[in-house]
Amino acid sequence: MRKIIDIKHHFDDYECMWNGIEDIYVNKTGECLPNNFFFLLSGFGSFCYLKTQKAELKRMVALGDGRTKKMYEFLAPIVGFEYKHHEYRSFEKALIKAKSEIDSGYPVVLGAIDMFYLPYFEKLYHKEHIPFHYILMVGYDDEKQSIYLYDCGRLELLSLSYIQLRNAMNCNYPGLSKENTICTIRMIEERDKIQIAKDALARKKDSFLNPTTGFLGYKGFEKFISELPRWKDEISKEEYDKILTNMVEFFGTVPTIPNAIKGIDEPDFVEFKGGFDKMSRMLRYLGDETKNDYWTKSAVYFDEGAAVIKRVSDVIIEYLSDKEDNTDLLPKLFAEVLEKMIDGYHALDF
């Protein structure tokens, strides 16, 4: 049996868990979205600082929440879609469910999957395991033993053999996704993108400026900045280095360790600006479309924040690659980041 759902696809790299859902939204509403729209509205700006002696990371610092299920939980009611994750013990059962969705006319999100097994990513195929990727399955062909899909990093309709898909879905990303996971989507309402942005950012602004606990929002950020100078005395160098590595890894456009830290003398294919640059571009887009100055004013602050995060990343990379230790500058730099975030949110005067 063979079936392909005809759906328009838009290229928007590095937002894989949202690209397919945005495709479904765009085809339902006819809207045109700025880059990383759902990704930024759901994940950016949810600062969290946790410390524990029991976890592998003794200190955890997050500028945003990149956990797929938490992102969906936050944005689904604002956008107007319903979703359900299905986890299967076998690939065969996951494929049966995915094919049944296609037969009913619904594209389905597959993932997390490992990019190591995706042949259309030549630089990663059979070279690097990145078990944190999502695709939108839009069809299948039993005779060819293949599925048809759209990927955020490619414009064209792609195919993947059942064997390749089996290998790609056989990955477990702790806290995010288990093996053979698919997500079914139902777009139940048609909501305007500007109102979606206002509603989502109003909630983000409130949670950051009025946090419910001391380890979240601006309070958590202040706590982190005040304690950062003591880290070297409180934990071992190995633990300290591991925390900084994790931090800069998630400052990247996609989570990846900078080449310099890995000892690779090649430019990185991602930037390490904590998403502030993307946030600024999205806000400028909304400002240009609506002609409302508060979007543009906020964009300026987040753009300035991107420059500071880049300096933070450079300091960490130089330290971890044994070039120069300027980590004593980090508290001051992070204080500048916090200031930019507060100003950026205050500028969003809806």
Side-chain angles (χ1 to χ4, degrees):
M1 189 167 173
R2 180 180 189 272
K3 182 168 183 177
I4 300 178
I5 299 172
D6 183 21
I7 184 173
K8 293 180 181 179
H9 167 64
H10 75 298
F11 175 91
D12 192 356
D13 215 354
Y14 306 127
E15 64 138 16
C16 56
M17 74 282 291
W18 282 111
N19 189 246
I21 296 177
E22 286 186 346
D23 280 347
I24 296 170
Y25 170 82
V26 167
N27 279 266
K28 175 90 171 176
T29 64
E31 289 273 15
C32 181
L33 301 181
N35 285 345
N36 304 118
F37 190 57
F38 286 177
F39 181 88
L40 290 167
L41 293 180
S42 61
F44 182 83
S46 304
F47 185 88
C48 178
Y49 172 54
L50 296 174
K51 51 187 292 189
T52 175
Q53 292 302 116
K54 297 181 179 180
E56 182 179 351
L57 284 175
K58 300 296 186 288
R59 308 286 187 275
M60 195 278 285
V61 179
L63 293 177
D65 194 339
R67 296 173 295 173
T68 304
K69 292 180 180 179
K70 288 295 182 181
M71 296 167 82
Y72 286 7
E73 180 183 339
F74 173 82
L75 201 57
I78 296 174
V79 173
F81 70 88
E82 294 178 344
Y83 68 96
K84 184 175 181 180
H85 285 94
H86 305 262
E87 300 171 345
Y88 295 95
R89 292 185 177 181
S90 72
F91 168 74
E92 288 75 17
K93 289 184 178 180
L95 183 60
I96 289 172
K97 176 61 176 177
K99 289 165 63 176
S100 72
E101 286 290 299
I102 301 298
D103 290 340
S104 299
Y106 298 108
V108 59
V109 175
L110 307 183
I113 62 176
D114 191 345
M115 298 176 77
F116 183 87
Y117 298 103
L118 303 182
Y120 51 86
F121 287 120
E122 297 85 359
K123 293 183 179 180
L124 300 174
Y125 184 52
H126 286 176
K127 295 176 183 176
E128 186 173 353
H129 287 280
I130 301 182
F132 185 51
H133 193 62
Y134 297 80
I135 58 177
L136 184 70
M137 177 177 167
V138 297
Y140 67 92
D141 189 325
D142 283 332
E143 184 176 341
K144 293 183 177 180
Q145 291 285 287
S146 297
I147 70 161
Y148 295 96
L149 66 111
Y150 285 114
D151 192 295
C152 67
R154 295 291 185 270
L155 275 171
E156 68 275 18
L157 180 67
L158 301 164
S159 66
L160 202 63
S161 73
Y162 289 167
I163 294 176
Q164 291 168 328
L165 182 63
R166 176 199 295 271
N167 290 332
M169 294 186 71
N170 185 30
C171 71
N172 181 8
Y173 201 109
L176 294 177
S177 176
K178 295 182 178 180
E179 299 90 340
N180 305 311
T181 296
I182 73 173
C183 185
T184 55
I185 306 294
R186 298 291 186 271
M187 198 64 59
I188 56 176
E189 297 185 47
E190 296 186 29
R191 295 185 178 172
D192 170 75
K193 72 181 176 198
I194 302 300
Q195 193 58 52
I196 289 173
K198 286 183 176 180
D199 291 347
L201 290 173
R203 287 185 58 186
K204 288 287 184 180
K205 174 182 176 179
D206 182 65
S207 63
F208 187 80
L209 298 179
N210 303 289
T212 55
T213 65
F215 60 85
L216 298 176
Y218 87 90
K219 290 182 179 179
F221 215 138
E222 289 180 338
K223 182 177 178 63
F224 155 62
I225 293 169
S226 69
E227 294 186 358
L228 179 55
R230 303 197 298 271
W231 282 10
K232 286 184 177 180
D233 298 324
E234 295 174 342
I235 56 180
S236 69
K237 183 181 185 306
E238 180 183 359
E239 292 169 333
Y240 180 77
D241 291 1
K242 187 183 297 185
I243 295 167
L244 292 188
T245 301
N246 178 264
M247 197 183 300
V248 75
E249 176 182 358
F250 284 90
F251 287 168
T253 310
V254 293
T256 185
I257 297 174
N259 284 336
I261 298 175
K262 294 186 288 187
I264 300 174
D265 188 20
E266 294 180 7
D268 290 295
F269 69 92
V270 301
E271 293 187 291
F272 297 90
K273 298 181 178 179
F276 279 70
D277 51 335
K278 294 181 180 181
M279 185 67 168
S280 177
R281 286 193 291 270
M282 184 193 76
L283 292 169
R284 290 184 189 279
Y285 178 102
L286 297 174
D288 290 343
E289 182 161 314
T290 63
K291 308 303 178 186
N292 288 324
D293 289 343
Y294 50 73
W295 300 109
T296 306
K297 290 178 181 178
S298 180
V300 172
Y301 290 116
F302 285 111
D303 189 47
E304 293 171 349
V308 183
I309 287 290
K310 176 62 167 58
R311 289 163 58 196
V312 168
S313 298
D314 289 343
V315 168
I316 294 175
I317 293 169
E318 288 176 355
Y319 164 74
L320 292 172
S321 56
D322 297 322
K323 292 181 180 178
E324 191 173 4
D325 184 357
N326 289 313
T327 53
D328 58 313
L329 298 176
L330 291 178
K332 180 178 181 298
L333 290 173
F334 276 116
E336 292 181 35
V337 175
L338 173 57
E339 180 182 353
K340 299 303 179 185
M341 289 187 73
I342 291 175
D343 290 342
Y345 278 125
H346 277 306
L348 291 174
D349 187 20
F350 300 134

